[in-house]
Amino acid sequence: MDTSRTKDFRVAIVGGGVCGLTCAIALAKKGVPVDVFESAGEFLEIGAGVGLGPNSVRILRGLGVFEDVLAKSTDPDLNMNAFRFISGYEGHEVLYDNPLPKEDCGIGILRSACFVVPAFAFLNALVGHFDKSKAHFHKRCTNVTPSAQNPSRLVLAFADGTTYEADLVIGADGIRSSVRSIVTGRPSDANLSFSNTIAYRALVSWDQLKDKGLKTDLTKGMTCFAGKGRHIIVYPINGGKTINVVAFVTNMDGDIPVGNGKLPLGAQWVCDAPKDELLSKYEEFGSDIKTLLSCVRKSSKWSIHIVYPPLESYVNGRIALVGDSAHAMRTHLGAGAGQGLEDGYVLSHLLGHPSANANNLEQVLQVYDGVRRPRAQEIWERTARTGEIYEGRGPSGFSPEGFTKDLTYNWECVWHHDLDGDIQAAVKQLEEAGVF
Ligand SMILES: Cc1cc2nc3c(=O)[nH]c(=O)nc-3n(C[C@H](O)[C@H](O)[C@H](O)COP(=O)(O)OP(=O)(O)OC[C@H]3O[C@@H](n4cnc5c(N)ncnc54)[C@H](O)[C@@H]3O)c2cc1C
């Protein structure tokens, strides 16, 4: 239902990444007037592949954008139909094999147009669903303050000296969010920490791997090569022609404890990684890993940061956070983007509710926080525990028995969460409080 003519409030989203743009589409589809302000010159994401689990797929389907995402990728259908865990060490023993039923399949896709041809882009598929006239580029938000004329409205200030007035602001400006500091009242990096983990990212041609004699078939779904203090996640994209590689190395000594906020790569979080360095990190791994890494032509090195300590609230007055700005987490469940999509989906249902209006936005956001923060934090914590399992520090040990015990049902709460149930409970709460 398009209620745009009846809504008496306007939303401004800061940040047009995956979560900001999905949130904008969800709000617009609910008839909420929404503009997106992005600091870059276009909707663009740096990175390689992204894996989206069944919870993300359900949201994209619910928004009516999933078929376009599939159409923009070269995969005709969900391609994440298995998740195998294999020892990274010689012999490459299978530790745990998790063939996924149809309803649990996900998709691995390239993120953006900048990496390869536009036909593979995730963001490109989303862009087609958002009114271009509502997307504003080169708009780096520097502050959000109450309007002098009407203190219940908010004024966004941008680095280019311009301003924009809205009734509600959503910070979707990623892990180094500016809006977060406005919500918390603390500097943005007060809730930012190094996770103790470095990720090397690369794309490798499957044909080349076959020619080099790789024994493990990497085209059938996700594979995790597990080892002590390091693991490698690989999955097919681009119709199985390309293998997305994310190789993790964790500082086991813990001499950079989580929480101290130090950046191990200086101010640079992402930089090029020399191939020798990548190979040297996996010297103890077996022949398939040596083959895989020898085929890497170009790799980047990411210092994985997280939102930590967790925020006490995602909301302050009429300002709310979604996605990484609220809860950037380790990558081990492939759940970060999905949690941001869930934020936007819930928010769009609450703000798009026929009873949401300019007078009750603060109460609506409080309920959003109450629903989303425990859920996202639960996944944040599970993600940390999952990394420990992959790297030989799980409670049941580094063995097929240990992996089976620790990983069976590990994704249930990520993938099978009843998000619509959350929305219904939130609406009921607002009704019982007399807000709706
Ligand atoms: C190595 C790695 C692998 C990952 N793999 C997965 C995976 O497989 N599955 C998964 O679900 N997640 C994965 N993630 C996590 C996922 O990438 C993030 O959770 C997701 O991209 C967050 O989206 P976002 O829109 O919140 O933030 P971002 O994608 O960071 O977007 C923020 C946007 O805001 C803009 N911006 C920033 N500041 C301002 C400002 N002041 N004003 C205006 N605009 C601004 C930026 O230009 C950017 O476009 C991975 C992350 C990493 C690092």
Side-chain angles (χ1 to χ4, degrees):
M1 183 181 66
D2 182 351
T3 55
S4 56
R5 278 185 224 113
T6 61
K7 285 294 174 204
D8 59 349
F9 62 89
R10 302 192 66 81
V11 174
I13 297 183
V14 178
V18 168
C19 300
L21 192 52
T22 309
C23 183
I25 293 167
L27 285 169
K29 287 199 183 241
K30 286 276 171 194
V32 177
V34 54
D35 285 69
V36 175
F37 298 88
E38 165 58 47
S39 58
E42 59 185 310
F43 290 124
L44 200 69
E45 218 183 347
I46 301 165
V50 65
L52 298 174
N55 57 323
S56 302
V57 170
R58 273 198 303 278
I59 289 172
L60 296 177
R61 278 196 208 281
L63 293 176
V65 303
F66 184 67
E67 295 310 318
D68 278 358
V69 171
L70 270 187
K72 292 272 182 188
S73 82
T74 52
D75 294 290
D77 205 350
L78 299 168
N79 58 1
M80 306 281 237
N81 46 18
F83 200 171
R84 277 177 315 167
F85 293 82
I86 296 177
S87 168
Y89 303 110
E90 197 53 66
H92 299 302
E93 178 188 22
V94 174
L95 295 166
Y96 177 58
D97 202 347
N98 191 12
L100 302 173
K102 184 79 182 162
E103 65 273 17
D104 282 352
C105 291
I107 183 167
I109 43 180
L110 288 170
R111 284 172 186 247
S112 80
C114 68
F115 210 84
V116 284
V117 292
F120 302 120
F122 177 27
L123 273 172
N124 266 5
L126 297 180
V127 167
H129 289 265
F130 190 65
D131 179 353
K132 284 188 181 62
S133 69
K134 303 286 178 194
H136 312 277
F137 299 104
H138 301 295
K139 292 287 174 191
R140 173 166 291 283
C141 180
T142 53
N143 206 357
V144 181
T145 50
S147 157
Q149 285 76 37
N150 178 356
S152 68
R153 302 201 84 206
L154 295 162
V155 178
L156 293 90
F158 300 102
D160 63 2
T162 59
T163 58
Y164 180 83
E165 205 167 298
D167 300 281
L168 188 142
V169 173
I170 296 174
D173 49 346
I175 186 165
R176 285 192 260 195
S177 168
S178 309
V179 180
R180 182 168 62 233
S181 67
I182 301 161
V183 167
T184 62
R186 292 188 292 270
S188 182
D189 63 4
N191 293 85
L192 196 57
S193 297
F194 175 51
S195 69
N196 262 338
T197 298
I198 297 283
Y200 295 87
R201 310 185 79 184
L203 299 174
V204 178
S205 145
W206 173 240
D207 280 346
Q208 196 189 352
L209 290 171
K210 270 191 307 187
D211 291 347
K212 291 260 185 178
L214 191 97
K215 294 193 188 68
T216 312
D217 184 354
L218 303 180
T219 61
K220 294 288 186 288
M222 298 255 281
T223 305
C224 172
F225 289 99
K228 299 285 168 69
R230 51 212 64 201
H231 70 280
I232 304 179
I233 302 278
V234 291
Y235 53 85
I237 49 180
N238 193 10
K241 294 192 192 88
T242 307
I243 303 299
N244 184 69
V245 181
V246 194
F248 296 89
V249 177
T250 299
N251 177 0
M252 299 280 280
D253 302 334
D255 58 351
I256 309 174
V258 166
N260 72 356
K262 275 186 196 156
L263 312 184
L265 306 178
Q268 213 179 2
W269 286 19
V270 184
C271 60
D272 289 342
K275 188 165 169 173
D276 288 352
E277 177 183 318
L278 175 60
L279 286 166
S280 73
K281 300 289 180 193
Y282 293 90
E283 269 168 355
E284 289 171 15
F285 273 36
S287 48
D288 262 5
I289 298 305
K290 299 223 160 48
T291 305
L292 175 71
L293 299 182
S294 71
C295 291
V296 169
R297 281 205 209 126
K298 191 173 187 294
S299 72
S300 54
K301 176 174 162 179
W302 296 58
S303 133
I304 306 294
H305 283 70
I306 50 178
V307 166
Y308 181 88
L311 304 190
E312 284 136 27
S313 177
Y314 293 173
V315 162
N316 187 349
R318 290 171 170 227
I319 310 175
L321 300 174
V322 300
D324 273 12
S325 64
H327 46 62
M329 56 189 74
R330 292 167 180 83
T331 61
H332 309 309
L333 283 174
Q339 283 309 299
L341 299 191
E342 288 190 7
D343 294 339
Y345 192 72
V346 169
L347 204 44
S348 71
H349 277 263
L350 298 183
L351 294 173
H353 190 280
S355 300
N357 61 53
N359 294 319
N360 58 26
L361 295 176
E362 292 192 18
Q363 291 100 313
V364 172
L365 289 193
Q366 283 301 330
V367 170
Y368 160 77
D369 177 61
V371 169
R372 285 303 306 156
R373 200 158 37 82
R375 158 83 177 145
Q377 189 57 29
E378 183 193 0
I379 304 303
W380 190 104
E381 281 158 22
R382 181 172 286 269
T383 303
R385 288 200 300 276
T386 300
E388 290 171 6
I389 297 167
Y390 294 174
E391 298 196 343
R393 283 172 285 133
S396 311
F398 192 85
S399 65
E401 298 73 29
F403 266 56
T404 304
K405 192 163 176 212
D406 290 343
L407 290 178
T408 308
Y409 306 121
N410 193 46
W411 288 267
E412 287 295 303
C413 76
V414 186
W415 292 348
H416 295 147
H417 183 73
D418 181 7
L419 201 60
D420 289 326
D422 281 355
I423 293 166
Q424 281 164 19
V427 169
K428 190 163 173 237
Q429 206 182 323
L430 286 159
E431 285 169 350
E432 284 172 358
V435 178
F436 278 4

